[in-house]
Amino acid sequence: MRWFRNASVVAVALAATLGLTACGGGDSGDKPAAQSKGGAPIVVASFNFTDSQILAEIYAQALEAKGYPVTRKLNLGSRELIYPSLKSGELQFIPEYQGAAITTGFGQEAGKTAQEEHDQLAKLFEPSGVALLNFAAAEDKNTYIIKSDLAKEKGIASISDLKKLDKVVMAGPPECEKRLPCFKGFTDVYKLTNISFQTIQEAGPRVQQLKSGAVTVIPVDSVSPLTGDPAYTVLKDDLNIVPTENVVPAVNKKVLDERGADFANAVNAVSAKLTTDIMRDLNKRVDSDGEKAADVAKDWLAQAGL
């Protein structure tokens, strides 16, 4: 997903991380087990945040329902940790986020549309033997919120409107300060001269500071329940500093070649039904309601007929 999830924990050895977090298994519902397709298990990975883990479970369980053996290696960490193993084939499938994969994974400027990003990312991955399947409508991208009472009082609907305030304090993780889709974009693209930055690493304390009025604006995920909370207003990114972040399965090309069209069709069928609203609801069930990612993935797949 979004870039600022991916700049830490490189000190952990990847081999150890993979070993400690690997887990197998999947849907144990009442449907009869699909006939096994055999072959080596497909290694499905995730980054170390809720949305990525839910998506990995959704795709893994959908594949298992079609008879494909799957091994899970979830909650692994950042792209710095995951990409070497994805490119080596040790990890074979990860739900990616197009814009962040381009900007953080490859250090390139992302295209302006989801299709442009898809074409661009496919070319970037190609030399490493990784291919992309269809991207979903679902996005999980950096979004900026302020308190709704302030937005109403001052007539603030977009990031540009923040110039109406005498003073703006943004709180975010440390890497936000130097990233164009975050604080640097507010100063360099939006040309806000009334803004300062405060480092607050964890999301919970950032929200508390926003709620108290100590800070003006914070970044959250577009799938965060806060984006639907009437107490907060999502600011329109009117100058488009944040690229589109459509979910896209990145898959080892050897696996795609070996497994063929049925495999690709099973994955694309999932992507075709994933929307941002669905992901926001599933994230809420895990982050706010305390349910397990595997359980909410199973429920949604059943509801979606997958």
Side-chain angles (χ1 to χ4, degrees):
M1 189 210 77
R2 293 83 50 248
W3 52 268
F4 68 65
R5 294 202 186 268
N6 305 302
S8 60
V9 298
V10 239
V12 182
L14 180 58
T17 307
L18 295 180
L20 288 171
T21 55
C23 60
D27 191 339
S28 57
D30 297 329
K31 293 185 295 184
Q35 183 176 355
S36 175
K37 298 286 199 297
I42 298 151
V43 184
V44 176
S46 85
F47 300 114
N48 58 335
F49 53 92
T50 300
D51 188 64
S52 181
Q53 292 170 51
I54 294 171
L55 286 166
E57 277 290 351
I58 285 173
Y59 286 109
Q61 291 184 30
L63 288 171
E64 287 171 332
K66 296 293 185 181
Y68 294 99
V70 169
T71 294
R72 292 161 175 75
K73 294 189 176 181
L74 308 184
N75 198 32
L76 292 181
S78 67
R79 287 182 178 85
E80 290 90 341
L81 286 171
I82 288 175
Y83 269 27
S85 289
L86 183 65
K87 293 172 181 178
S88 74
E90 185 179 357
L91 302 177
Q92 298 170 331
F93 185 121
I94 188 164
E96 251 296 9
Y97 302 85
Q98 293 188 155
I102 293 165
T103 58
T104 303
F106 290 94
Q108 304 288 318
E109 183 177 343
K112 298 300 182 185
T113 69
Q115 188 60 56
E116 284 179 31
E117 287 184 350
H118 190 271
D119 296 343
Q120 182 181 3
L121 185 58
K123 289 178 182 176
L124 290 170
F125 266 133
E126 189 174 9
S128 301
V130 177
L132 302 182
L133 292 176
N134 294 352
F135 62 86
E139 285 189 84
D140 186 359
K141 62 193 293 184
N142 291 339
T143 303
Y144 298 92
I145 62 172
I146 66 171
K147 292 174 70 175
S148 290
D149 54 3
L150 177 63
K152 186 175 181 181
E153 178 189 350
K154 300 294 186 178
I156 299 171
S158 67
I159 296 175
S160 289
D161 289 336
L162 291 173
K163 66 180 180 293
K164 298 177 180 180
L165 300 176
D166 293 332
K167 178 183 176 184
V168 176
V169 180
M170 175 189 282
E175 58 269 27
C176 167
E177 187 172 10
K178 297 179 180 179
R179 299 282 188 172
L180 199 62
C182 206
F183 181 75
K184 188 173 175 61
F186 281 53
T187 57
D188 292 11
V189 179
Y190 282 97
K191 306 296 185 184
L192 295 176
T193 57
N194 58 343
I195 190 168
S196 60
F197 184 77
Q198 182 178 340
T199 297
I200 303 179
Q201 177 68 60
E202 299 299 325
R206 287 200 296 269
V207 175
Q208 289 302 317
Q209 290 292 88
L210 180 65
K211 191 179 295 186
S212 73
V215 304
T216 317
V217 58
I218 63 170
V220 297
D221 302 334
S222 59
V223 296
S224 166
L226 293 173
T227 61
D229 188 329
Y232 304 103
T233 293
V234 174
L235 298 179
K236 181 182 178 183
D237 178 18
D238 46 317
L239 296 183
N240 300 312
I241 60 170
V242 182
T244 60
E245 295 289 8
N246 296 75
V247 172
V248 64
V251 188
N252 180 273
K253 192 173 185 302
K254 185 179 178 183
V255 170
L256 281 179
D257 291 343
E258 289 175 349
R259 296 295 182 169
D262 287 348
F263 174 89
N265 290 339
V267 175
N268 288 335
V270 173
S271 300
K273 294 193 175 184
L274 282 172
T275 67
T276 301
D277 286 343
I278 286 168
M279 291 310 304
R280 185 178 295 114
D281 178 63
L282 298 182
N283 274 263
K284 178 181 180 297
R285 288 178 59 182
V286 174
D287 283 341
S288 300
D289 303 341
E291 297 184 56
K292 293 180 179 178
D295 293 338
V296 301
K298 178 181 174 181
D299 286 350
W300 179 74
L301 285 166
Q303 293 167 13
L306 294 165

